[in-house]
Amino acid sequence: MSLPRPGHRHEGLSAEMIVLAPAWSPISSLLLLLLLSPGLRGTPDCSFKHSPITSTFAATIRKLSDYLLHDYPVTVASNLQDEELCKALWQLVLAQRWMEQLKTVAGSQMKILLEDVNTEIHFVTLCAFQPLPSCLRFVQTNISHLLQDTLEQLVALKPWITRRNFSRCLELQCQPGNGSQSLKPTDSSTLPPPRSPRALGATALPAPQSHLLFLLLLLPAALPPLAALLCLRWRRVNGRGLEALPAHP
């Protein structure tokens, strides 16, 4: 540390502390307040003072659907108890777990779209749900149905998300009875693994070209050989004609 010069006011440690202090912008302060807001975090009894369901969830889900193979296989629970609003919340819990699993096999671009949808339904993780019950059974469907179901559950929950306490929904319940013979049980802690990563993203196939367009594209390249052939044929025909003419006396 250099000694203070004569006549120079040395600010000391307080000036250095002012320089090293972080500069908080208004945006950073707002984000911090939102993250710390208890109304958006939910409560142990699973209720929300402010709606965690955005106004853009439909567009976000449709955007993902446009870039996915619609027949990509996933599973959905087939024997959830038909409890008022609880069933919608339970289906979102399972859909959110699928989003997490699909991100592990998706490419970088697809992962962004999956994360966007996952963010829309991530609020279900703020409630302390019990582990999946062993009675829960799944059937295979395709991802377009899963996304459509997710959209419908968000629509059903949106008017009620701040008006109801969902504490009675924290344990997923199954319908009584054994259910259909086609239903297959699954591990109560995990969902079936997703398919290979290459099968997840939709591949845009080129549109078939018209035969007429194809011929028009080839026409400029075919004109010079065709002209040369016609010229050669014309010369041969004229040459034979001259040979057939009678000689003048």
Side-chain angles (χ1 to χ4, degrees):
M1 179 181 295
S2 61
L3 296 175
R5 292 175 294 176
H8 175 73
R9 182 182 177 183
H10 185 65
E11 298 294 338
L13 186 59
S14 60
E16 294 180 2
M17 291 178 66
I18 293 174
V19 173
L20 296 177
W24 289 95
S25 66
I27 296 179
S28 300
S29 302
L30 178 60
L31 291 176
L32 181 61
L33 289 175
L34 289 175
L35 290 174
L36 296 178
S37 173
L40 293 179
R41 290 203 313 269
T43 61
D45 59 355
C46 197
S47 61
F48 299 88
K49 293 182 179 179
H50 304 285
S51 177
I53 302 177
T54 70
S55 60
T56 58
F57 66 85
T60 302
I61 293 174
R62 290 194 183 100
K63 185 175 181 181
L64 174 61
S65 180
D66 290 342
Y67 285 89
L68 282 175
L69 288 174
H70 289 184
D71 60 349
Y72 185 85
V74 294
T75 56
V76 293
S78 60
N79 64 332
L80 285 171
Q81 184 72 22
D82 195 12
E83 291 283 340
E84 182 186 10
L85 295 182
C86 284
K87 185 177 181 180
L89 198 64
W90 294 338
Q91 289 178 317
L92 291 182
V93 169
L94 300 176
Q96 191 273 330
R97 297 189 182 194
W98 261 116
M99 294 303 108
E100 292 287 357
Q101 287 201 23
L102 292 175
K103 286 194 301 179
T104 64
V105 297
S108 57
Q109 297 298 322
M110 185 65 66
K111 188 178 295 184
I112 295 175
L113 299 177
L114 287 166
E115 180 58 38
D116 289 343
V117 173
N118 186 48
T119 301
E120 296 287 350
I121 57 179
H122 195 263
F123 67 89
V124 298
T125 65
L126 303 177
C127 296
F129 284 94
Q130 299 297 315
L132 301 186
S134 58
C135 62
L136 199 60
R137 298 178 183 272
F138 292 83
V139 291
Q140 181 171 299
T141 184
N142 57 57
I143 196 166
S144 62
H145 290 163
L146 175 64
L147 293 177
Q148 181 61 32
D149 288 344
T150 301
L151 178 62
E152 292 174 358
Q153 309 319 321
L154 287 171
V155 170
L157 282 173
K158 189 174 176 61
W160 304 100
I161 194 68
T162 60
R163 301 165 60 184
R164 294 290 182 89
N165 188 317
F166 296 93
S167 58
R168 64 186 181 89
C169 304
L170 294 179
E171 183 178 355
L172 278 71
Q173 300 178 16
C174 305
Q175 295 177 3
N178 295 328
S180 172
Q181 297 295 329
S182 63
L183 303 183
K184 298 180 180 180
T186 186
D187 186 351
S188 61
S189 60
T190 60
L191 294 174
R195 265 172 39 175
S196 63
R198 292 183 180 179
L200 180 59
T203 303
L205 298 177
Q209 293 184 351
S210 169
H211 294 294
L212 179 59
L213 178 60
F214 182 71
L215 291 176
L216 289 176
L217 292 175
L218 290 181
L219 187 58
L223 281 178
L226 182 61
L229 182 62
L230 291 176
C231 183
L232 181 60
R233 182 175 179 82
W234 181 81
R235 288 180 180 178
R236 288 180 179 178
V237 171
N238 286 346
R240 290 176 184 176
L242 292 176
E243 291 176 358
L245 292 176
H248 291 284

